[in-house]
Amino acid sequence: MPDLLVELFCEEIPARMQRRAATHLREALTGALVDAGLTYEGARDYVTPRRLTLDVRGLTARSADTTEERKGPRVDAPEKALAGFLRGAGLASVDEAEVRSDPKKGDFYVAVIKREGRSAEEIVAEAMPAIIRDFPWPKSMRWGAPSAEPGALRWVRPLQSILCTFGPETEEPVVIDFEAGGIRSGNVTRGHRFHAGEAFTVRRFDDYAAELEKRFVIIDPQRRKEMIAADARNLAFANGVELVEDDALLDEVAGLVEWPVVLMGEFEREFLEIPDEVVRLTIKTNQKCFVCRDPATGNLTNKFILVANIEASDGGAEIARGNGKVVRARLADALHFWTTDQADLPDLEKYRTSAEKFDLDLKKPLDQRMAKLDHLGVTFHAKLGTQGERVARIAALAEELVDIIADAMETDLAPIEGEGAELRDLARRAAHLAKADLTTEIVGEFPEVQGAMGATYAVLQGEHPSVARAIEDHYKPLGPTDSVPTDPVAVAVALADKLDLLTGFWAIDEKPTGSKDPYALRRAALGVIRIVLENGIRLALAQHHVSADLLSFFHDRLKVWLRDKGARHDLIDAVLSETDDDLLIIVRKVEALQKLLDSETGANLRVGTERALNILAAEEKKDGAGAFDRPVDRALLAEPAEKELANVIEAVAGHVDDHVAREDYEGAFAVLAELRPAVDAFFDTVMVNADDAKVRTNRLAILSGLRAVTRKLADFSRIAG
């Protein structure tokens, strides 16, 4: 079977665009091949800063011939109908159609359309120009003289050549000829820009990859990553330090080089007085370099690791020196920011009113920054006021929440340090300082460290550990893999921050729509859910300004979270009512219902209950909804099985209420399971729709009672079979 090799060679593709671009090339071309009737054994994409490569193995050489039958009108149909049929089928006259007979409908025309298969070369040559022309780059450009022409090719960077070969391993492959953007396809590419920039001829993938490696190009991005990681660890170890791993940076650096060469640089030790995270971000953001730590202490060292794209004649000494020079300049800026943030702000008196409003101490740097944030009237949102007003709301809500949270977490949390510190005071203080670092110099330069820097500055000015922790953690969780706050003060401020965000935007009717969520409200709702559930907190959301519509949004997010955890969607729907606002209770009900249904008794109870609900639904269509929601008339009970079911339902209802009052949902569902023998016996021996209307109504009232007692815990009609 023939193999197909495609390479699009261009100027440097930004690292952040490479993975998606390689995937798109593979999906677009293989999709076009399949749509055209071809099959293939496998396809793999590769990417370097200068090339997108696709290797398709076992591609059929030709698509199969096809025959399509298109049914037409009756032979005596009007001329207009016949003309439309001929036009749609591509026939010149009815003489080219077949006449078929149907015993009921009579004679009618059928167009038999035969299409010859096409060669893979023809299909690829047709598909590739459109794929290249319509490539979905986030940003693209035109270049050279052709750029002035209408419809000129736009590409991420100037496209220089197109390689496209096709053929079986036992034969000389052919070049699939096509043109895109004025560039004709061929069988030529180039190696590394500096080490081996001359052109060379390619036959198929294996010699292509091998020849490129001889010419200092590793086309597999995963292999480049592994090489960088291994060499960086070894180089760090050889220098007595330890690499600080950074997967995101590793991905990016692997997209910046075709031939990775790992080197070590260093900077002056005086810069290590800057917080580690600021040093790491400075070096990562500006120079795409890795930092190293002392394996004995865990503290950063003054050594860093860089990845070059060439093997320099001096072993990389000049490259390392140049990178060190830039790193030192950037760290000097960071040191200035760090020093400035700990000094007093000028004109402190103008912040006095704001300081009094938030009970701030203007002798402390972080308090000064909060006073400045409020004094400047920095807008949070045009309809939701300033950052200062938002901080006041968060503080009030955090005070309201913290006692509830501390009570719920008491058994799982170590005592808060610092005797005499009141939880409400700590929550208010933490909320007042949570956004203060937004006006610091370092956060202005590195927004990624907001929260973390506030915590660092809080420790330096002697804040309670729970306050510092809350400042750092109140943004959490930032994603599905991020941890949640666990200190009660941090939990209170984090929940208050997210609930204020959600209730505020719901109040001004700016909610997520479709894929658009500019204020990350879905993430905020999921954050509330995870904080509450992972800390075991009972929180009635409706009591904290959560509207019915916002509660419905929480329910939707909770369903997504539970499904990701493996819960059945139908069980979530079964236990969830539109007024349920205690997320922890909802989850406990789902877990208890799942445990019940996993048992044989529970599964059989579901079947019996479903039968009862179906009968009720059918009869209520005749008599009206709720027609049988009435007390059972015991004088009309004749059959032993109906007497038993009525008695068991009454007893079980009381026991379920007792368990629910104790919030023992597993026990409540276990009590429901006691209904199973009586339900089975009832349906085995009792005719529900008796001839006597009163008896029929009474038996349906028993089933209505069964529905009522099960609905104390779940709506069994929503549970799938």
Side-chain angles (χ1 to χ4, degrees), residues 635-648:
L636 293 173
L637 299 176
E639 299 287 344
E642 62 181 330
K643 291 178 182 178
E644 177 65 11
L645 181 56
N647 291 335
V648 171

Side-chain angles (χ1 to χ4, degrees), residues 65-325:
D65 296 342
T66 60
T67 300
E68 175 191 352
E69 291 191 356
R70 190 172 299 180
K71 187 177 179 181
R74 287 166 50 98
V75 294
D76 57 354
E79 283 296 324
K80 255 187 187 178
L82 290 172
F85 163 65
L86 295 174
R87 188 165 52 252
L91 303 182
S93 72
V94 293
D95 296 336
E96 297 179 3
E98 294 183 8
V99 177
R100 306 260 177 97
S101 293
D102 185 291
K104 294 182 180 178
K105 298 182 179 178
D107 294 344
F108 59 92
Y109 289 113
V110 173
V112 180
I113 305 168
K114 295 181 179 179
R115 294 188 180 92
E116 289 188 6
R118 295 193 298 158
S119 68
E121 295 99 311
E122 181 185 350
I123 293 168
V124 172
E126 181 183 279
M128 278 304 302
I131 291 172
I132 294 171
R133 184 181 61 250
D134 300 331
F135 218 89
W137 295 109
K139 291 185 178 181
S140 57
M141 61 181 291
R142 293 179 294 183
W143 63 93
S147 64
E149 301 296 326
L153 176 66
R154 299 187 66 91
W155 196 250
V156 61
R157 296 289 186 271
L159 185 62
Q160 295 183 342
S161 68
I162 301 169
L163 183 152
C164 190
T165 65
F166 178 71
E169 189 175 344
T170 55
E171 299 176 12
E172 189 67 20
V174 299
V175 172
I176 298 182
D177 183 49
F178 60 88
E179 181 267 336
I183 300 172
R184 192 120 231 126
S185 59
N187 60 354
V188 172
T189 190
R190 296 175 183 274
H192 192 284
R193 180 190 292 276
F194 302 111
H195 288 310
E198 66 279 2
F200 66 95
T201 302
V202 172
R203 297 176 68 250
R204 53 179 53 84
F205 178 80
D206 291 339
D207 70 280
Y208 163 82
E211 192 63 32
L212 277 176
E213 187 155 347
K214 292 178 187 175
R215 296 165 186 263
F216 299 89
V217 175
I218 306 294
I219 63 163
D220 185 350
Q222 183 60 34
R223 187 168 161 226
R224 294 199 302 276
K225 283 175 59 177
E226 291 167 358
M227 290 170 65
I228 293 168
D231 290 353
R233 292 185 195 113
N234 291 338
L235 183 59
F237 179 78
N239 283 270
V241 295
E242 184 178 71
L243 176 72
V244 175
E245 307 274 352
D246 187 327
D247 289 340
L249 180 58
L250 181 60
D251 280 336
E252 184 175 11
V253 171
L256 296 175
V257 297
E258 291 195 315
W259 188 257
V261 178
V262 174
L263 304 169
M264 179 163 280
E266 62 180 57
F267 53 86
E268 286 72 15
R269 293 182 180 276
E270 66 190 63
F271 293 122
L272 293 176
E273 68 179 83
I274 309 169
D276 284 1
E277 186 65 9
V278 175
V279 173
R280 186 187 70 80
L281 280 171
T282 299
I283 293 175
K284 171 183 177 177
T285 304
N286 292 290
Q287 286 303 103
K288 313 301 179 192
C289 296
F290 298 85
V291 293
C292 297
R293 63 185 161 222
D294 184 331
T297 65
N299 297 326
L300 289 193
T301 70
N302 66 327
K303 298 185 186 298
F304 65 92
I305 286 177
L306 60 133
V307 182
N309 191 35
I310 60 172
E311 291 193 1
S313 57
D314 64 354
E318 187 60 26
I319 295 173
R321 191 194 68 80
N323 275 266
K325 183 177 179 181

Side-chain angles (χ1 to χ4, degrees), residues 679-692:
V679 170
D680 290 347
F682 179 85
F683 283 118
D684 286 343
T685 62
V686 176
M687 174 67 71
V688 176
N689 287 316
D691 293 334
D692 186 320

Side-chain angles (χ1 to χ4, degrees), residues 678-717:
V679 170
D680 290 347
F682 179 85
F683 283 118
D684 286 343
T685 62
V686 176
M687 174 67 71
V688 176
N689 287 316
D691 293 334
D692 186 320
K694 290 183 179 180
V695 173
R696 166 185 173 270
T697 298
N698 203 49
R699 289 173 177 173
L700 288 168
I702 295 174
L703 299 187
S704 178
L706 176 63
R707 177 173 64 187
V709 72
T710 56
R711 280 188 175 174
K712 289 175 180 288
L713 295 172
D715 183 349
F716 275 63
S717 68

Side-chain angles (χ1 to χ4, degrees), residues 452-470:
M453 284 313 304
T456 299
Y457 291 141
V459 170
L460 285 173
Q461 67 179 39
E463 297 297 328
H464 190 285
S466 286
V467 171
R469 199 171 299 124

Side-chain angles (χ1 to χ4, degrees), residues 351-631:
Y351 303 131
R352 184 69 58 188
T353 301
S354 292
E356 292 172 356
K357 183 193 307 183
F358 292 100
D359 195 22
L360 301 170
D361 182 354
L362 289 181
K363 295 177 183 177
K364 297 181 176 182
L366 201 58
D367 291 56
Q368 294 177 20
R369 271 65 187 175
M370 178 57 216
K372 178 181 178 180
L373 182 69
D374 181 65
H375 175 78
L376 293 176
V378 177
T379 299
F380 168 65
H381 185 281
K383 296 180 181 178
L384 294 174
T386 66
Q387 286 281 10
E389 290 168 334
R390 173 159 150 75
V391 165
R393 294 195 301 269
I394 292 171
L397 185 53
E399 281 190 81
E400 186 181 312
L401 293 172
V402 70
D403 288 333
I404 300 170
I405 291 163
D407 288 344
M409 300 172 65
E410 184 178 1
T411 56
D412 300 318
L413 191 73
I416 295 176
E417 303 168 20
E419 293 184 7
E422 293 291 336
L423 276 175
R424 283 177 168 261
D425 295 337
L426 293 175
R428 182 174 62 255
R429 177 66 172 165
H432 285 166
L433 295 180
K435 308 295 182 183
D437 65 358
L438 295 178
T439 58
T440 61
E441 298 290 328
I442 280 187
V443 172
E445 180 72 10
F446 302 109
E448 305 95 317
V449 297
Q450 59 186 274
M453 284 313 304
T456 299
Y457 291 141
V459 170
L460 285 173
Q461 67 179 39
E463 297 297 328
H464 190 285
S466 286
V467 171
R469 199 171 299 124
I471 294 171
E472 180 167 11
D473 288 355
H474 83 282
Y475 291 108
K476 291 184 175 183
L478 292 173
T481 60
D482 194 18
S483 61
V484 301
T486 54
D487 180 287
V489 176
V491 169
V493 179
L495 285 175
D497 178 68
K498 292 165 181 59
L499 287 171
D500 177 76
L501 186 75
L502 289 158
T503 56
F505 281 105
W506 246 255
I508 62 174
D509 199 28
E510 291 204 23
K511 309 166 190 173
T513 56
S515 61
K516 294 183 179 179
D517 186 9
Y519 304 108
L521 301 180
R522 291 188 181 94
R523 186 176 71 187
L526 185 57
V528 171
I529 290 166
R530 285 191 57 205
I531 291 170
V532 166
L533 297 182
E534 293 180 32
N535 285 301
I537 298 169
R538 296 286 312 282
L539 185 64
L541 291 173
Q543 295 178 17
H544 300 285
H545 319 294
V546 173
S547 65
D549 186 47
L550 178 52
L551 185 58
S552 176
F553 182 73
F554 272 111
H555 287 170
D556 289 341
R557 294 296 93 202
L558 178 62
K559 289 178 184 179
V560 172
W561 186 83
L562 284 171
R563 285 198 294 266
D564 288 344
K565 295 290 183 183
R568 285 170 45 181
H569 68 88
D570 57 328
L571 303 193
I572 302 168
D573 290 336
V575 305
L576 192 60
S577 75
E578 61 183 18
T579 58
D580 285 341
D581 66 342
D582 190 324
L583 304 176
L584 188 62
I585 292 301
I586 295 169
V587 172
R588 287 178 179 172
K589 284 183 178 180
V590 172
E591 292 170 347
L593 177 57
Q594 180 68 70
K595 185 171 183 179
L596 172 69
L597 295 177
D598 284 344
S599 70
E600 182 182 355
T601 298
N604 290 334
L605 174 64
R606 184 199 64 76
V607 173
T609 304
E610 182 180 23
R611 185 175 177 184
L613 297 177
N614 289 339
I615 292 171
L616 269 176
E619 298 308 309
E620 283 181 339
K621 283 184 180 179
K622 304 172 188 175
D623 295 54
F628 311 107
D629 297 344
R630 60 177 70 188

